Amino acid sequence: MTRALYLVLGLGFTGLGIAGAFLPLLPTTVFLILAAGCFARSSPRLEAWILNHKQFGPLVRDWRAHGAIPRKAKVLACTGMAGGFVIFFLSAHPATWLALAVAGVLGLCAAFVVSRPSGSRPGG
């Protein structure tokens, strides 16, 4: 039962990752990292497919091995978070406390992304 749940979650994360490759504010790599983790517990064949994928495999492998996020991905992630916040702020007209809470959460997420190594070597 647990294996089936991980398989379904992995397939869902893979779908979101594929959608993120085409939708500007939806992340791709983070969903594929989650999918690979789920497939590691449910389907070695699908895990290998993600890890060996020409485009996304190196990103997922670098994350697993070193917690690394390439500079370009950091810039895109932070730009996407900032853009998403602007759209949220302008379209939802949130209360000040809610805008500050969302900005704080996004700021913490951006700080985490920026704090990760940029290459496949720690510190690189």
Side-chain angles (χ1 to χ4, degrees):
M1 185 66 154
T2 302
R3 186 175 178 196
L5 177 62
Y6 277 117
L7 180 63
V8 169
L9 286 171
L11 292 171
F13 288 137
T14 300
L16 288 170
I18 291 169
F22 301 100
L23 301 173
L25 294 179
L26 189 64
T28 298
T29 307
V30 68
F31 287 123
L32 295 177
I33 289 168
L34 290 168
C38 289
F39 291 147
R41 292 161 181 81
S42 63
S43 174
R45 183 178 63 83
L46 290 173
E47 178 190 23
W49 175 76
I50 288 178
L51 293 176
N52 296 317
H53 189 276
K54 182 179 178 180
Q55 185 74 29
F56 304 114
L59 299 170
V60 176
R61 290 192 309 268
D62 274 353
W63 174 258
R64 276 192 174 178
H66 308 288
I69 301 172
R71 277 184 192 19
K72 182 179 176 182
K74 289 180 183 186
V75 169
L76 289 172
C78 291
T79 302
M81 284 185 257
F85 179 77
V86 168
I87 291 169
F88 160 72
F89 188 80
L90 294 176
S91 65
H93 306 289
T96 302
W97 69 267
L98 181 58
L100 291 173
V102 170
V105 169
L106 289 175
L108 289 171
C109 292
F112 174 78
V113 166
V114 171
S115 74
R116 302 296 84 206
S118 294
S120 60
R121 293 172 284 114

